[in-house]
Amino acid sequence: MAMRWKNTLKDHHVTDEAAFLNRRQLMGGAAAGLGLATAGATSAFAAGDDLVPNSYEDITSYNNYYEFGTGKDDPARYADALTTQPWSVKIDGMVDKPGDYAFEDIMAAMTIEERIYRFRCVEAWSMVVPWNGFELTDLLDMAGVQSSAKYVAFETAMRPDEMPGLRYPVLEWPYVEGLRLDEAVHPLTIMATGIYGRDIPNQNGAPLRLVVPWKYGYKSIKSIVRITLTDSEPPTSWNKANPREYGFYSNVNPEVDHPRWSQASERVIGGGLFSKRIPTLMMNGYADEVGELYAGMDLTKDI
Amino acid sequence: MSAVFDRINSLLRPVPTWVVYSVLLLPVPYLLYLAQTGALGAEPIKTLEHELGIIALQLLVAGLCVTPLREYVGINLMKFRRALGVLAFTYVALHLTVWVVLDMSLLWSQMWADIWKRPYITVGMAGFIALLPLAITSNNQSVRKMGAGAWRKLHKLTYLAVLLGGVHFLWLVKGIQIEPLLYMGAILALLGLRVAKAISKWAKRVA
């Protein structure tokens, strides 16, 4: 079953990609002519229902994917080397049908829909991305989650031959992430397989990656090869590297300070040299949808 | 080998310092040009900020190389040392300006909080403050007024500033990354030379 969640953004809010790029070029030209800020771009990117997706170029050229290097442009430069065919996802742990699920078989069983989400990085920048994908809960249903399962663990591919960043101990490889089961089956949680209607590029986590829009970007683990259902909180990469800075939940929260970055505001990528900061929204603007998941929890402690 | 270095020294001697200033300031218009054309990528503010910071750190490290190059290698760049320092300060100031105006959009209260709460920003700001008196006294008049001894003593603050710059870089990156570690290694090695020299001087005096 798909289509459980409807974008509050209407179809007419989705700028056709060609028109969007064209518009930016026009604005860029105008700005260059004035020798001034792209002030118009800033207001177009303001929060609310007028959200405009970032350009395909922005989304696919400014990435954090440390397996390919720590520079923002490293993934776009090196991720071509990643072999995504064939691809399979091992689903194991507390499921009725454990096994290796071929990517094609997963895709054949899923309904692909578009989700336009805000994407907020812990480094205090954000984008708006028109993802294509399916709800994670549908994939979990395929494997049959047992009632004893409470958490879902994820693992990224680890291929030293294809991923130059693995040579450096920036993090403990492979990259791992996790969600509580109720977070994982929430209709907002998707597995993305495309952007702007195209197959998702390698630098964005091909062939399938998690997208949890109310959490900081690093929770949305890329190029998943394994999903494990467990009854205990799974380890997560950034939490292992620095537990003081990165918690298990990592919900976007402007009121909880990160030791390194103030989370009160963010800059929307794509506004050029004079792009202004905008206030960060509680749960990245999805508090109405997911707030109840955390009822009774102290969000300043359970970060 | 020393003949080669003598040749280098005699080639450098007639080079006026304004040439050094002009050449080493070229990255500024170049970066602004790249930013205008969109060549700094999807997030030009961070790129600009980072590039200016890196150049500042490189110039500070270059300044630390001048004395060891003369003492251990025989290449004399003394004439350009002050230019390197002034240029380093210029890039630090530009780096800070980009942070204040473009990165933080003049959100003063958030910046004030960040200076105290984010250790890497605290350290960076301390480095800038350490450089301020050096920039202010980087003219001949100040040298005359203060006397060469006192001036030189004050300008030892450079050591602290470079160290703070290295820590600032190391602290701001996520995870363990190579580039800031390389800078820190170079800084520690260059400062180590000073420490070793001071120790041997002291040992001689005692003996």
Side-chain angles (χ1 to χ4, degrees):
Chain A
M1 193 190 89
M3 312 291 178
R4 293 182 189 85
W5 186 80
K6 268 265 157 271
N7 260 310
T8 52
L9 304 169
K10 300 289 186 287
D11 279 350
H12 68 264
H13 286 125
V14 185
T15 315
D16 167 70
E17 191 197 341
F20 183 72
L21 295 174
N22 205 6
R23 188 178 66 86
R24 291 200 65 208
Q25 269 163 14
L26 285 173
M27 290 200 307
L34 291 167
L36 264 176
T38 46
T42 315
S43 59
F45 290 129
D49 274 359
D50 287 333
L51 279 180
V52 177
N54 278 80
S55 70
Y56 185 79
E57 166 76 19
D58 285 349
I59 296 167
T60 58
S61 69
Y62 192 79
N63 308 100
N64 276 331
Y65 195 163
Y66 282 10
E67 283 84 341
F68 294 102
T70 52
K72 294 286 185 288
D73 50 356
D74 285 339
R77 202 177 302 156
Y78 301 119
D80 274 352
L82 182 69
T83 316
T84 56
Q85 277 176 319
W87 194 275
S88 64
V89 182
K90 179 196 278 294
I91 306 183
D92 61 2
M94 296 167 168
V95 289
D96 297 330
K97 288 166 277 178
D100 292 311
Y101 288 73
F103 180 67
E104 293 73 30
D105 297 342
I106 295 173
M107 289 301 270
M110 297 294 136
T111 310
I112 301 299
E113 54 181 305
E114 183 180 58
R115 295 286 178 93
I116 302 161
Y117 284 159
R118 293 180 199 87
F119 185 90
R120 171 62 155 78
C121 180
V122 74
E123 296 163 6
W125 55 265
S126 67
M127 294 197 193
V128 176
V129 184
W131 303 104
N132 311 99
F134 53 86
E135 289 179 16
L136 174 60
T137 189
D138 291 335
L139 178 60
L140 296 179
D141 285 347
M142 237 176 125
V145 176
Q146 294 174 349
S147 57
S148 51
K150 291 191 180 69
Y151 293 91
V152 189
F154 304 86
E155 191 179 310
T156 296
M158 183 168 70
R159 307 215 187 119
D161 294 342
E162 300 179 357
M163 299 170 149
L166 294 181
R167 285 198 295 258
Y168 307 102
V170 184
L171 289 168
E172 196 183 317
W173 312 112
Y175 194 86
V176 289
E177 258 306 337
L179 294 172
R180 219 168 54 191
L181 187 58
D182 58 344
E183 299 175 321
V185 301
H186 192 281
L188 277 180
T189 304
I190 59 164
M191 291 293 249
T193 55
I195 291 172
Y196 269 117
R198 308 186 200 174
D199 285 345
I200 194 166
N202 287 2
Q203 61 266 37
N204 293 85
L208 81 168
R209 53 101 40 101
L210 186 68
V211 177
V212 197
W214 70 93
K215 292 175 181 287
Y216 293 119
Y218 58 86
K219 294 293 289 184
S220 293
I221 182 170
K222 299 185 179 82
S223 308
I224 295 167
V225 291
R226 186 174 180 189
I227 298 173
T228 308
L229 279 293
T230 81
D231 58 1
S232 58
E233 191 180 287
T236 62
S237 283
W238 280 104
N239 179 253
K240 279 195 291 182
N242 196 338
R244 202 173 66 90
E245 296 191 9
Y246 309 96
F248 174 78
Y249 289 98
S250 297
N251 294 320
V252 175
N253 190 337
E255 288 151 29
V256 173
D257 261 339
H258 183 277
R260 234 174 258 246
W261 301 278
S262 162
Q263 299 297 11
S265 66
E266 67 201 47
R267 183 164 37 254
V268 186
I269 299 293
L273 203 51
F274 297 90
S275 162
K276 286 266 185 295
R277 280 175 178 263
I278 59 168
T280 289
L281 303 169
M282 189 61 168
M283 302 279 168
N284 204 21
Y286 302 98
D288 288 348
E289 285 93 344
V290 299
E292 66 195 38
L293 293 177
Y294 309 103
M297 276 172 66
D298 182 353
L299 294 177
T300 61
K301 291 213 177 69
D302 292 312
I303 59 164
Chain B
M1 206 55 181
S2 72
V4 178
F5 298 142
D6 287 343
R7 181 102 189 93
I8 291 174
N9 289 337
S10 59
L11 277 174
L12 286 172
R13 210 165 294 133
V15 176
T17 48
W18 64 261
V19 173
V20 174
Y21 279 109
S22 319
V23 170
L24 292 178
L25 278 172
L26 283 177
V28 177
Y30 181 61
L31 283 169
L32 290 177
Y33 165 76
L34 290 182
Q36 270 299 313
T37 56
L40 291 187
E43 168 52 313
I45 298 173
K46 276 284 170 214
T47 311
L48 188 62
E49 189 177 275
H50 182 79
E51 290 300 322
L52 292 168
I54 285 284
I55 296 173
L57 199 55
Q58 287 168 347
L59 288 166
L60 285 168
V61 171
L64 281 192
C65 290
V66 172
T67 301
L69 271 179
R70 192 186 57 172
E71 288 185 5
Y72 304 109
V73 183
I75 295 178
N76 190 352
L77 299 171
M78 268 322 202
K79 185 181 166 187
F80 308 112
R81 190 171 64 171
R82 202 192 301 176
L84 290 174
V86 172
L87 283 160
F89 176 77
T90 308
Y91 279 96
V92 170
L94 288 170
H95 169 72
L96 181 62
T97 307
V98 169
W99 181 69
V100 170
V101 179
L102 299 181
D103 192 353
M104 295 306 296
S105 316
L106 301 173
L107 294 167
W108 297 105
S109 63
Q110 228 180 86
M111 275 187 273
W112 186 246
D114 279 354
I115 288 171
W116 295 107
K117 275 159 99 178
R118 325 276 158 215
Y120 82 90
I121 297 180
T122 315
V123 166
M125 205 51 90
F128 171 71
I129 290 165
L131 283 176
L132 266 180
L134 311 191
I136 293 166
T137 58
S138 65
N139 49 71
N140 289 332
Q141 212 188 342
S142 296
V143 183
R144 271 195 300 275
K145 228 174 172 176
M146 294 176 67
W151 191 87
R152 222 173 285 131
K153 207 173 233 174
L154 174 70
H155 282 248
K156 291 224 191 304
L157 261 180
T158 311
Y159 300 150
L160 176 67
V162 186
L163 206 54
L164 290 169
V167 173
H168 171 63
F169 189 20
L170 203 60
W171 220 332
L172 76 89
V173 297
K174 279 160 65 188
I176 299 160
Q177 297 192 24
I178 299 292
E179 204 190 354
L181 283 172
L182 291 176
Y183 278 95
M184 203 58 199
I187 292 166
L188 290 177
L190 288 163
L191 292 180
L193 288 176
R194 269 82 175 179
V195 174
K197 198 172 130 189
I199 290 174
S200 74
K201 229 180 182 175
W202 173 80
K204 260 185 212 152
R205 223 180 21 215
V206 173

